[in-house]
């Protein structure tokens, strides 16, 4: 008679188990979007029972909102570091556009697209969207202010321009998801449009796009 193979279960401390579940949620959202986050799918990704995910989660709405927040905070930190290392404000805008519209950024774009849809029925997610949209607007507005202080941008309303640029970034990023290739054409168009919005010379931003 054959002896059935016994599966060894690893006992983790509550903090370790929670971290495991959150990491699984993050990975699943990156791969398939926020809409893929269900108890069963997260449990399968983490290699645990769905009931264990429920035990460590106040509600699925909160879990989705918290997953969104973790991912977009990491995104903004990464983009901010790349942009701030770029030099003058014109180059910073160019690097910003090339980064957020790059093909390696599609996973986070999908997270944002899902968030805008799911946030209609998830108040916690809607609040997180508002918070991090404002953080992005503030980040972009500071670049515009720096360009104005340097004399290379001529706008009188950096805050309004930042919202306009952010809207263009979001729209083009979402559109780029359906293209299947990188969005180099969109990056160029956005850079050229930004020159008008910030009051910069033609080519001041588009001429500094990474090759």
């Amino acid at each position: 008679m054959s002896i059935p193979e016994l599966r060894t279960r690893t006992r983790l401390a509550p903090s370790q188990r929670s971290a495991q579940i959150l990491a699984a949620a993050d990975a699943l959202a990156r791969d398939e979007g926020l809409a893929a986050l269900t108890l069963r799918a997260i449990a399968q990704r983490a290699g645990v029972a769905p009931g264990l995910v429920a035990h460590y989660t106040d509600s699925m709405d909160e879990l989705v909102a918290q997953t969104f927040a973790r991912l977009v905070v990491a995104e903004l930190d990464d983009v901010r570091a790349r942009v701030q290392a770029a030099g003058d404000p014109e180059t910073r805008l160019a690097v910003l556009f090339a980064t957020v519209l790059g093909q390696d950024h599609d996973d986070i774009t999908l997270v944002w697209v899902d968030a805008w849809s799911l946030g209609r029925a998830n108040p916690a997610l809607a609040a997180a969207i508002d918070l991090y949209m404002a953080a992005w607007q503030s980040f972009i507005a500071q670049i515009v202010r720096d360009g104005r202080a340097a004399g290379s941008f001529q706008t009188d309303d950096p805050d309004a321009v930042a919202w306009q640029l952010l809207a263009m970034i979001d729209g083009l990023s979402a559109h780029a998801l359906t293209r299947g290739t990188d969005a180099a054409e969109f990056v160029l168009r956005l850079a050229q449009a930004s020159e008008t919005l910030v009051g910069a010379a033609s080519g001041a931003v588009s001429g500094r796009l990474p090759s």
Side-chain angles (χ1 to χ4, degrees):
M1 179 183 295
S2 62
I3 300 175
E5 182 180 351
L6 298 179
R7 295 182 62 186
T8 301
R9 293 186 177 181
T10 302
R11 286 190 173 273
L12 298 178
S15 60
Q16 293 175 306
R17 184 66 75 189
S18 177
Q20 177 192 30
I21 290 169
L22 296 181
D26 290 355
L28 182 60
R30 279 186 173 276
D31 288 347
E32 301 180 34
L34 290 178
L37 296 181
T38 65
L39 284 176
R40 185 176 299 278
I42 294 170
Q44 184 175 16
R45 180 64 66 103
V48 300
L52 194 58
V53 176
H55 175 73
Y56 282 93
T57 304
D58 292 334
S59 71
M60 280 307 299
D61 280 357
E62 286 290 339
L63 179 59
V64 170
Q66 291 166 5
T67 301
F68 168 78
R70 286 192 302 275
L71 293 177
V72 300
V73 165
E75 173 204 24
L76 182 53
D77 287 346
D78 175 63
V79 173
R80 184 183 284 117
R82 296 191 200 189
V83 168
Q84 289 178 341
D88 58 59
E90 301 95 313
T91 306
R92 274 184 268 162
L93 279 184
V95 170
L96 169 64
F97 301 149
T99 300
V100 297
L101 284 168
Q103 195 170 21
D104 63 350
H105 215 72
D106 283 354
D107 54 351
I108 299 300
T109 297
L110 178 57
V111 166
W112 274 102
V113 169
D114 276 356
W116 292 321
S117 177
L118 298 173
R120 295 176 300 168
N122 182 337
L125 180 57
I129 292 169
D130 286 346
L131 178 64
Y132 295 111
M133 286 288 285
W136 268 97
Q137 186 273 344
S138 178
F139 166 50
I140 297 171
Q142 188 57 56
I143 300 174
V144 179
R145 288 192 188 94
D146 290 345
R148 183 182 176 189
S152 51
F153 298 165
Q154 303 302 318
T155 179
D156 292 328
D157 197 344
D159 283 327
V161 167
W163 279 118
Q164 291 170 318
L165 289 174
L166 183 57
M168 294 170 66
I169 288 170
D170 289 339
L172 289 174
S173 295
H175 187 184
L177 284 176
T178 67
R179 296 291 289 261
T181 58
D182 65 27
E185 180 182 353
F186 289 166
V187 175
L188 177 59
R189 290 177 181 177
L190 179 54
Q192 291 170 334
S194 75
E195 293 163 356
T196 299
L197 288 173
V198 303
S202 178
V205 178
S206 56
R208 301 187 186 213
L209 291 170
S211 57

